[in-house]
Amino acid sequence: MSQIIIYDTTLRDGSQTEGVSYTVNDKVKITAKLDELGVHYIEGGWPGSNPKDKDFFAMMKGKKLKNAKLAAFGSTRRANIKPEEDTNLNELIASETPTVTIFGKSWDLHVKDVLKTTLDENCAMISDSITFLKKHKREVFYDAEHFFDGYKNNPSYALKTLLAAQKAKADCIILCDTNGGTLPDEITAIAKEVRKKIKTQLGIHTHNDQGLAVANSLAAIKSGCVQVQGTFNGLGERCGNADLCTIMAILHTKLKMKSIPDSKIKLLMDASYYISEVSNYNLTSNHPFVGHSAFAHKGGVHIDAMLKNPMAYEHIKPELVGNHRRLLTSELAGKMPIILKAQKMNINIDKNSPIAKEIMKELQEKEYQGYQFEGADASFELFMKRRLKLYEPFYYLEGFKVYTERRLDGSVGAGATVRLKVNGHDEMAAVEGNGPVEVLDRALRTALLRTYPSLNDIHLSDYKVRVLDTKAGTGARVRVLIESHDQHDSWTTVGVHDNVIEASWEALVDSIEYKLLKEKK
Ligand SMILES: [Zn+2]
């Protein structure tokens, strides 16, 4: 079984993503997560290019990593100077990382038009810089930038640059498809040629401009590259880098190759969402392997088949990568999801029983009114439990009132009063604040806190309103989705009404009921 070295550059190449900007603290957090996952190398940044990356390496000096080696990134020396005089190379040494990765030019077009130096001087820049870093006892990886474009244009020169890196004793030479324009069969052919002529270990670094970064990385691995560079979730400038998450999942589940420890592969989904959270970058739900929808089934026929044999519509067991199967609830899905949810709640409903039929009809009616339970599992569970009378309501609403006001000075405020009956006694709360939903939420929780102190732990993390009938303008029906979380969980609830406050109330009530029900279990 071959072992593939995972080199993560989320913190360097990934930080080039439009809209992503890491603080030093974000970088420390992501480093810890990647280290825990067991990736072999974490490229922390380019100390010669910005002070934030320099701060990060300074901060990491005192920290010990459990699994990964930290790498600092930079370029070869500038033309016509000694490596000792190059500030960029000196910054790399000052970072005190065990590994240093430098990039240099393999494409003659870049040497002539961008660096504006001679082809020979470029080769000297590569070998001098590597020799200098090796003299300082660093493990040195050499990124051959634009290697595939360079090879297509001038193969003998592109190879000459690699030979310069090899002669200077680079520990690994990484072939880069920097512009992301190469096709998998070209990668295979070129990597195999290089493999014949270069003895040094080879790696691959691809970009996703054609949606082929993962395919290209795999082609290179199959052609003899043992290191793969990429980012989590495929972050990176333009269309991003190769997605390490997908690559690792494929290596383990399909190619029977090793990368991070087998036991860590099931943490991929968790790591992926964690990193997208810290990066403040939304992971699309159809993301391969780790997205929320990656194993979500909607069609009734599919779901029926899935129940007979899960492999009918799944290419792997979702648990292998830490994901799980979801059977979506909708008109399309037939009765199966209802039956399955019921099974999860330890109730057996016969798919042909009258109650299953009734619930199905009510659900279709609700969907017709504008409810969407696909994004609101918690409301669905409550709907079922209410319908099957599986719990006593925790309180009864006597009434609520919400106002918003705009004052003479132009400031805007809101207030809410909520009256409830809890365990036979009356509770009332009145609060003031900024917005109508916020005050309604706080008033409801304040009225309940004396009886249910755990409601203090709930936070609303997302609030979405969608207008369902755009033609009717402000008279239209709205659907509100609320995402709430406590220390352990997050859950989503839904409300639908012509009145946005009532729709919000409904979703808030579900959120609180769900939390209380969860606690009772
Ligand atoms: Zn890159």
Side-chain angles (χ1 to χ4, degrees):
M1 227 198 235
S2 355
Q3 168 72 50
I4 301 301
I5 306 295
I6 302 296
Y7 184 102
D8 182 280
T9 178
T10 306
L11 299 178
R12 202 273 306 169
D13 236 2
S15 74
Q16 304 299 316
T17 314
E18 183 171 6
V20 168
S21 168
Y22 293 125
T23 63
V24 173
N25 192 32
D26 293 337
K27 285 187 163 229
V28 172
K29 284 204 289 207
I30 290 176
T31 302
K33 194 71 179 178
L34 292 170
D35 184 38
E36 185 190 310
L37 196 66
V39 308
H40 305 100
Y41 292 92
I42 300 169
E43 190 175 82
W46 186 344
S49 84
N50 70 74
K52 212 193 320 186
D53 287 3
K54 225 170 122 171
D55 288 351
F56 168 75
F57 287 113
M59 194 156 200
M60 290 306 293
K61 274 176 200 172
K63 291 194 162 65
K64 233 181 117 62
L65 296 179
K66 283 179 278 181
N67 301 301
K69 278 190 194 170
L70 200 59
F73 180 85
S75 70
T76 54
R77 69 160 170 80
R78 281 179 293 126
N80 311 314
I81 59 166
K82 291 198 177 75
E84 295 75 21
E85 297 161 0
D86 190 275
T87 36
N88 171 61
L89 285 176
N90 282 307
E91 291 285 7
L92 289 172
I93 296 300
S95 300
E96 292 179 26
T97 55
T99 305
V100 169
T101 301
I102 52 165
F103 76 94
K105 303 289 186 189
S106 294
W107 189 358
D108 54 2
L109 172 144
H110 264 264
V111 179
K112 289 181 224 157
D113 297 351
V114 181
L115 287 184
K116 295 196 183 299
T117 186
T118 65
L119 295 181
D120 284 343
E121 171 63 3
N122 179 54
C123 284
M125 286 157 65
I126 296 169
S127 54
D128 284 1
S129 307
I130 295 172
T131 306
F132 171 77
L133 294 167
K134 288 305 293 180
K135 222 166 54 197
H136 283 84
K137 307 262 179 287
R138 297 301 193 273
E139 180 179 38
V140 180
F141 293 160
Y142 175 67
D143 276 6
E145 201 194 27
H146 296 291
F147 178 76
F148 294 93
D149 293 315
Y151 190 92
K152 285 192 257 182
N153 194 49
N154 184 347
S156 67
Y157 183 71
L159 273 174
K160 206 171 158 192
T161 63
L162 300 192
L163 287 166
Q166 172 168 276
K167 203 166 166 220
K169 300 209 161 48
D171 295 281
C172 185
I173 294 173
I174 294 92
L175 312 178
C176 303
D177 185 26
T178 310
N179 294 357
T182 310
L183 296 169
D185 53 352
E186 295 175 309
I187 299 264
T188 303
I190 295 173
K192 279 187 175 160
E193 274 313 299
V194 174
R195 187 62 294 172
K196 281 186 218 155
K197 290 173 180 128
I198 300 287
K199 297 277 156 289
T200 308
Q201 280 201 336
L202 295 177
I204 181 72
H205 176 119
T206 61
H207 280 258
N208 201 32
D209 300 75
Q210 302 179 95
L212 290 173
V214 168
N216 282 344
S217 302
L218 295 172
I221 288 171
K222 286 187 164 181
S223 310
C225 291
V226 294
Q227 177 185 123
V228 58
Q229 300 194 344
T231 60
F232 251 76
N233 306 329
L235 288 176
E237 75 186 303
R238 307 192 309 276
C239 311
N241 285 55
D243 182 352
L244 282 183
C245 234
T246 312
I247 291 174
M248 287 190 277
I250 294 174
L251 288 178
H252 284 250
T253 64
K254 300 296 161 89
L255 300 177
K256 303 295 169 237
M257 287 180 173
K258 285 195 170 299
S259 63
I260 58 173
D262 274 325
S263 60
K264 304 281 178 143
I265 289 291
K266 59 178 188 296
L267 302 178
L268 277 179
M269 184 182 188
D270 169 71
S272 172
Y273 273 92
Y274 179 86
I275 290 170
S276 72
E277 195 84 337
V278 178
S279 308
N280 200 12
Y281 192 84
N282 230 343
L283 190 72
T284 54
S285 63
N286 63 357
H287 204 89
F289 293 95
V290 297
H292 269 307
S293 303
F295 300 94
H297 305 274
K298 187 164 170 179
V301 180
H302 290 195
I303 289 177
D304 217 47
M306 290 288 307
L307 286 173
K308 291 172 184 145
N309 183 351
M311 294 317 262
Y313 285 96
E314 281 173 359
H315 70 116
I316 59 158
K317 286 199 178 92
E319 294 74 26
L320 291 175
V321 290
N323 209 331
H324 56 273
R325 178 175 309 136
R326 285 167 61 231
L327 300 176
L328 302 180
T329 316
S330 81
E331 293 160 81
L332 276 180
K335 287 183 211 117
M336 289 335 290
I338 300 172
I339 310 295
L340 280 174
K341 281 252 184 199
Q343 281 171 358
K344 260 193 177 170
M345 295 181 259
N346 296 322
I347 308 158
N348 275 317
I349 305 184
D350 177 4
K351 137 173 166 177
N352 304 309
S353 68
I355 185 91
K357 267 183 206 134
E358 271 172 47
I359 288 178
M360 188 63 209
K361 250 185 89 187
E362 281 169 40
L363 212 55
Q364 283 180 346
E365 175 57 26
K366 286 213 147 234
E367 294 207 345
Y368 179 73
Q369 288 166 22
Y371 286 84
Q372 256 241 25
F373 290 111
E374 277 160 14
D377 278 354
S379 281
F380 177 77
E381 195 174 323
L382 288 167
F383 166 79
M384 289 291 289
K385 289 194 168 168
R386 283 182 192 127
R387 189 57 189 72
L388 295 166
K389 301 200 169 50
L390 286 178
Y391 75 93
E392 283 289 305
F394 295 93
Y395 58 90
Y396 295 93
L397 173 72
E398 309 247 276
F400 71 74
K401 194 189 261 178
V402 179
Y403 67 86
T404 71
E405 62 170 347
R406 189 187 161 89
R407 302 177 197 102
L408 208 56
D409 63 1
S411 64
V412 175
T417 17
V418 170
R419 280 177 294 113
L420 308 170
K421 221 171 205 46
V422 191
N423 294 341
H425 58 85
D426 293 321
E427 289 284 359
M428 212 274 281
V431 306
E432 288 193 321
N434 297 318
V437 177
E438 177 226 331
V439 289
L440 195 57
D441 170 44
R442 273 175 38 222
L444 173 59
R445 279 196 284 154
T446 309
L448 288 169
L449 265 182
R450 216 156 20 130
T451 322
Y452 306 112
S454 73
L455 293 180
N456 241 340
D457 307 337
I458 307 189
H459 299 276
L460 301 190
S461 35
D462 201 7
Y463 173 83
K464 286 196 192 84
V465 184
R466 167 147 312 175
V467 178
L468 297 176
D469 181 359
T470 42
K471 283 188 210 105
T474 48
R477 177 162 287 235
V478 293
R479 176 168 64 231
V480 167
L481 277 180
I482 287 180
E483 191 185 309
S484 318
H485 69 95
D486 58 18
Q487 307 96 308
H488 311 288
D489 259 328
S490 75
W491 58 93
T492 307
T493 53
V494 61
V496 174
H497 203 271
D498 295 348
N499 179 319
V500 65
I501 299 295
E502 173 59 26
S504 306
W505 169 264
E506 213 184 308
L508 283 172
V509 164
D510 271 9
S511 166
I512 279 168
E513 298 249 355
Y514 184 82
K515 163 85 174 166
L516 293 174
L517 207 57
K518 188 160 81 94
E519 225 108 278
K520 224 177 135 187
K521 273 185 214 166

